[in-house]
Amino acid sequence: MEPVSTLAAGVIAKLAFDEFVKAGAGETAKQSVGGAIKLVKHLCDKIQSQFKGNAQAEAALAELEQQGTPAALEKVTEYLDLEMTKDIAFAGEVQQIAQQIVSIQNQSVSTRQYINHVRDQISIETNNNQKYAATFASDNAIVSSITEHVTKVYPLWYGTNRKPINPKDISNGYSGDRDDLVHYGSCEVAVPESHKIGSTGSSWWQRLKTLTDDRLKLDRSSLNLLDEAGFLASMKKVLDQRKPNERSVLVYIHGFNVSFENAALRAAQIGSDLNVPGIMAFYSWPSKGNLRDYLVDQNTIEASAHHITEFLLNLAQNSDATKIHIIAHSMGNLGLLRSMQQILSQAQSTSLISFGQIFLAAPDIDPDLFKNLAQAYSQLAERTTLYISSKDKALAASGIISNFPRVGYFPPIGIFNGIDTVEVSNVDFSWLGHGYFADARDLLQDMHELLSNNTPPERRFGLQTVKVKAEKFWVIGR
């Protein structure tokens, strides 16, 4: 390997912000590069400290933390090059640390041969216009040099009308294309000991700083495609082992811009955080998983409603579960609303079909459409709770696109017969304000209380009543 002093800012930036990703695979690799891990963190801290006070350089670091892309790394490289040119002492310090990292690298070449993850080749241009190839692990690579202790494997059952990527090998997962039938199956998600309530995993940058990989990971080899009878039989087998009051199923229906894998991760996070006593399931409709495809997803969720109906009816009628609870998020609420209306119209006697708790989180639905169809919830569910926020930027944007406000955004406040409206603006800390249903501890506690005891809002801890003329809603987090 070339001396660091000739490689300048480009390679030093790569060592600082990527080396621990490519450092090894497995426990043997971790031990071999253990000395380099501390040096890499020291190098990162040194660069971060040097950038303080330079707003543009700090913004470049923040972008790298959020995106972790080669393009973001190039921006950091440019500012690092400027700082090294201006401050010779700083340049000497980072070059010395980088050289120590390189020395450890050279001692562990044989260990690094264990790395078999797919890598993308890019080129980084340094200040003398010389290009050096830098290798970046794919997003799916497990960061072995970060501490990771998986303490449990969380089982999930799913339904989807996505087309399998490879019908002959379901471990490849599901695409964003529509299929004309419901695929039933099960899978497993690894939940690490370091998992934090409300999170499916920290950002790339945070994992670097803490040297801890807290990401939930879908075990693709666990994807199991089942026929309808096999799916229901596997559910019954698990439910039969539960206590009579724990034979419930909680179904998560995701929103816009969500892949099958991300739906599985979020379902596992919700189930784990809520300590669901029965079974956690999810329905994944074929969202394209791309921000540019909002209107495509909107059409697809409408077209998927009858598939969602089939899945929910199967659970309600044939799973032997005592309760079927549902969480719908964002655009997923449109599919659930249509499904509830279909179930209501199909059922000869609504007393034969009954759901437990239904949670409507940040519904991306036209308020007039919702008002016309929402009576289905009060007729089919034990209790329905609507969570809304005034800080939901995603729904604010959707309202602009649709030229009408969305049910999950206020003002105006949405109060509907037979539905408890809870305002949650004060509990969400995400930039978009759209992911509060799974991210905010206060809200998860509220949902847990409902799942456990069906407690009315007047008696739930942390809720305050707000009266609007003859109607009322509740506020959480004040």
Side-chain angles (χ1 to χ4, degrees), residues 385-426:
T385 304
L386 167 64
Y387 293 112
I388 63 174
S389 173
S390 63
K391 297 179 181 177
D392 194 325
K393 295 182 177 65
L395 288 188
S398 175
I400 293 172
I401 294 172
S402 306
N403 201 32
F404 287 98
R406 316 317 282 167
V407 170
Y409 182 83
F410 85 92
I413 193 84
I415 301 176
F416 307 92
N417 290 333
I419 296 176
D420 300 330
T421 297
V422 179
E423 191 239 309
V424 298
S425 305
N426 297 314

Side-chain angles (χ1 to χ4, degrees), residues 113-292:
Q113 290 174 348
Y114 283 99
I115 302 173
N116 56 11
H117 299 298
V118 178
R119 296 181 184 279
D120 302 319
Q121 296 295 318
I122 68 161
S123 292
I124 297 177
E125 176 122 9
T126 59
N127 59 320
N128 58 0
N129 293 323
Q130 185 174 4
K131 290 184 178 180
Y132 298 93
T135 310
F136 291 85
S138 69
D139 186 54
N140 290 327
I142 296 177
V143 184
S144 303
S145 56
I146 291 178
T147 303
E148 176 183 327
H149 301 289
V150 175
T151 58
K152 67 177 177 180
V153 175
Y154 198 89
L156 297 168
W157 283 256
Y158 68 82
T160 182
N161 58 311
R162 296 174 182 265
K163 281 187 176 180
I165 293 172
N166 180 357
K168 295 181 179 179
D169 185 3
I170 204 65
S171 66
N172 289 316
Y174 294 88
S175 70
D177 297 326
R178 302 182 194 178
D179 213 339
D180 56 3
L181 75 163
V182 176
H183 299 284
Y184 293 86
S186 62
C187 62
E188 296 175 342
V189 171
V191 180
E193 184 180 30
S194 53
H195 165 66
K196 300 178 183 66
I197 289 179
S199 172
T200 56
S202 300
S203 67
W204 177 92
W205 174 252
Q206 188 63 33
R207 296 197 304 274
L208 181 151
K209 290 194 294 185
T210 62
L211 300 181
T212 302
D213 189 355
D214 60 351
R215 292 175 296 174
L216 278 66
K217 299 183 180 73
L218 172 65
D219 179 3
R220 287 182 172 272
S221 66
S222 73
L223 282 168
N224 187 19
L225 186 60
L226 302 166
D227 60 25
E228 188 176 314
F231 174 81
L232 292 168
S234 69
M235 271 195 164
K236 289 178 182 179
K237 183 178 180 180
V238 173
L239 290 172
D240 285 346
Q241 297 171 3
R242 300 287 193 266
K243 296 176 182 178
N245 63 339
E246 295 181 348
R247 292 173 185 164
S248 63
V249 177
L250 176 60
V251 182
Y252 164 57
I253 304 174
H254 64 78
F256 158 66
N257 186 29
V258 176
S259 66
F260 177 88
E261 180 169 348
N262 285 338
L265 297 180
R266 184 59 79 182
Q269 176 254 307
I270 293 170
S272 179
D273 291 352
L274 290 176
N275 194 25
V276 172
I279 279 177
M280 186 71 204
F282 68 100
Y283 190 89
S284 185
W285 53 278
S287 163
K288 287 293 185 182
N290 193 311
L291 284 170
R292 296 190 299 270

